[in-house]
Amino acid sequence: MSENKSFQLGTIGALSLSVVSSVSIVICNKALMSSLGFRFATTLTSWHLLVTFCSLHVALWMKLFEHKPFDPRTVVGFGILNGISIGLLNLSLGFNSVGFYQMTKLAIIPCTVLLETLFLSKKFSRSIQLSLCILLLGVGIATVTDLQLNFLGSILSLLAVLTTCVAQIMTNTIQKKFKVSSTQLLYQSCPYQAMTLFISGPFLDKFLTQQNVFAFRYTPQVLVFIALSCLISVSVNFSTFLVIGKTSPVTYQVLGHLKTCLVLAFGYILLHDPFNWRNILGIFVAMMGMVLYSYCCTREGQKKATEASVQLQTKEDESDPLIGMENGAGAINDVALPISPIGKADKDLRARDYNR
């Protein structure tokens, strides 16, 4: 029971850390890109990952976690795939309208559910499916404004969705398969993610923004916001792996849409972004879906825990010889006891007992 409580507290802590750090970095990056004109998102992400790796290396040197090497090919492939998915998401935003990009992000949840159902034989109850539909409807109302389609943008969005879903499913399965923590997995895969984006980032950013990241004028204010963004990213990257490892890729995506709603609200309050009735209605519907999803997951988790405890108790009862003898299944049935012959006196005694 105490282990279950500590697991729940750890999960709540991971979810809270993910929400706070993600909302903080979005607000910081929005100020950096919108107000200060630094629009090199892919290159900035590579710097985030480099700072994260350096921070984890210091933590390893301080013996805050243990290095646990495992299959190198899995680590390299996983790291490169994560880097590619980030680059494709940025390209999708560059080649599509903002509304279609939001639809791309909404498509990640049903795609993840489909992949886990087909390849991992995972089952999602009707109540969870309904809560996810309500959530996606609410986020769609709040964020999707225009849907301008083009062939190249659609292909990039499809690839972005697929690579993101596979990468997040792998984040969960690798931690379980190789019995590594989120910190150990992030430490080993981070260099390959950073390398992928560090090499491709300047080219992608120049293609999307028509500007050179190395020719940008780095004022002290810009450098302060970049440093702040990199520091917050350590918490973002760590909490991402932690949440997916403790919960599931679908739960992480649900959490991501909660962040979207919070970013919309904070943008209106702090940055005075435009806000209309569609945003309010969409956030309200999305919150209903999130509450319903949390309730359904909690109820199913309690049901599974109860079933597991009943099965464990049954196994313990079956393995206990004293309980087995009480149920008539003791060792006496397995031993052939000698039957003594019945004498005449015994027969007379039994006859008298019977006649009574």
Side-chain angles (χ1 to χ4, degrees):
M1 185 66 70
S2 60
E3 290 182 359
N4 189 29
K5 285 185 177 179
S6 63
F7 177 79
Q8 290 178 350
L9 288 174
T11 303
I12 293 171
L15 294 172
S16 303
L17 178 64
S18 180
V19 170
V20 172
S21 58
S22 295
V23 173
S24 300
I25 201 170
V26 167
I27 294 174
C28 178
N29 289 345
K30 191 169 184 179
L32 180 62
M33 294 180 182
S34 301
S35 303
L36 300 176
F38 187 88
R39 298 186 295 155
F40 309 103
T42 309
T43 304
L44 181 62
T45 305
S46 70
W47 296 346
H48 288 169
L49 291 166
L50 286 173
V51 172
T52 299
F53 175 72
C54 293
S55 302
L56 290 176
H57 195 69
V58 172
L60 179 64
W61 177 72
M62 296 173 64
K63 296 183 179 179
L64 296 178
F65 71 96
E66 181 184 355
H67 180 48
K68 185 179 180 181
F70 59 98
D71 186 14
R73 289 192 301 177
T74 301
V75 174
V76 174
F78 172 70
I80 294 175
L81 179 64
N82 264 292
I84 291 173
S85 70
I86 294 171
L88 286 172
L89 281 170
N90 289 338
L91 281 173
S92 173
L93 178 58
F95 278 89
N96 293 301
S97 63
V98 175
F100 191 81
Y101 175 72
Q102 291 296 337
M103 286 295 295
T104 299
K105 292 174 69 176
L106 291 177
I108 293 175
I109 283 185
C111 183
T112 303
V113 170
L114 178 63
L115 291 177
E116 288 193 313
T117 302
L118 291 177
F119 297 102
L120 299 179
S121 301
K122 189 172 181 179
K123 295 182 179 179
F124 296 87
S125 65
R126 291 286 181 87
S127 55
I128 286 184
Q129 293 176 14
L130 175 62
S131 65
L132 291 175
C133 290
I134 295 173
L135 165 68
L136 295 176
L137 175 64
V139 177
I141 293 172
T143 60
V144 177
T145 53
D146 57 329
L147 291 175
Q148 299 174 8
L149 302 178
N150 64 81
F151 180 74
L152 180 59
S154 301
I155 296 297
L156 289 171
S157 295
L158 177 63
L159 292 174
V161 169
L162 289 175
T163 52
T164 301
C165 291
V166 173
Q168 291 182 359
I169 291 172
M170 286 181 66
T171 303
N172 183 271
T173 54
I174 287 175
Q175 291 185 53
K176 288 181 169 62
K177 180 179 179 181
F178 295 100
K179 294 180 173 58
V180 293
S181 68
S182 55
T183 311
Q184 292 167 334
L185 177 59
L186 179 60
Y187 175 72
Q188 294 186 67
S189 63
C190 213
Y192 302 104
Q193 296 183 56
M195 191 187 312
T196 303
L197 295 176
F198 192 77
I199 294 172
S200 62
F203 299 101
L204 286 177
D205 289 333
K206 187 172 183 179
F207 182 71
L208 294 172
T209 65
Q210 306 302 318
Q211 295 179 7
N212 189 344
V213 65
F214 301 109
F216 186 79
R217 184 171 173 268
Y218 291 90
T219 63
Q221 192 176 10
V222 171
L223 292 175
V224 167
F225 272 91
I226 289 175
L228 181 62
S229 178
C230 289
L231 289 175
I232 299 174
S233 72
V234 177
S235 176
V236 172
N237 292 324
F238 173 72
S239 62
T240 297
F241 280 60
L242 190 63
V243 168
I244 295 177
K246 283 186 171 291
T247 56
S248 70
V250 174
T251 300
Y252 175 72
Q253 285 299 322
V254 171
L255 190 68
H257 292 306
L258 170 61
K259 299 171 194 174
T260 301
C261 295
L262 291 175
V263 167
L264 286 173
F266 280 117
Y268 172 72
I269 296 169
L270 300 177
L271 303 176
H272 304 291
D273 289 341
F275 213 64
N276 54 39
W277 66 269
R278 282 189 57 184
N279 300 128
I280 299 172
L281 176 63
I283 290 175
F284 178 73
V285 174
M287 289 296 180
M288 287 178 56
M290 290 174 203
V291 171
L292 182 60
Y293 177 80
S294 301
Y295 171 75
C296 294
C297 287
T298 303
R299 189 180 63 178
E300 291 188 7
Q302 291 174 345
K303 184 179 178 181
K304 289 179 181 178
T306 303
E307 291 175 353
S309 63
V310 169
Q311 290 177 359
L312 181 62
Q313 185 65 38
T314 304
K315 288 181 180 179
E316 289 178 352
D317 291 349
E318 290 175 353
S319 62
D320 194 333
L322 293 177
I323 297 177
M325 289 187 69
E326 287 178 3
N327 294 330
I332 193 168
N333 292 330
D334 298 329
V335 180
L337 297 177
I339 302 175
S340 58
I342 302 175
K344 185 176 183 301
D346 293 331
K347 288 181 180 179
D348 294 341
L349 180 61
R350 290 190 179 183
R352 283 199 300 270
D353 291 337
Y354 181 77
N355 291 330
R356 285 179 187 175

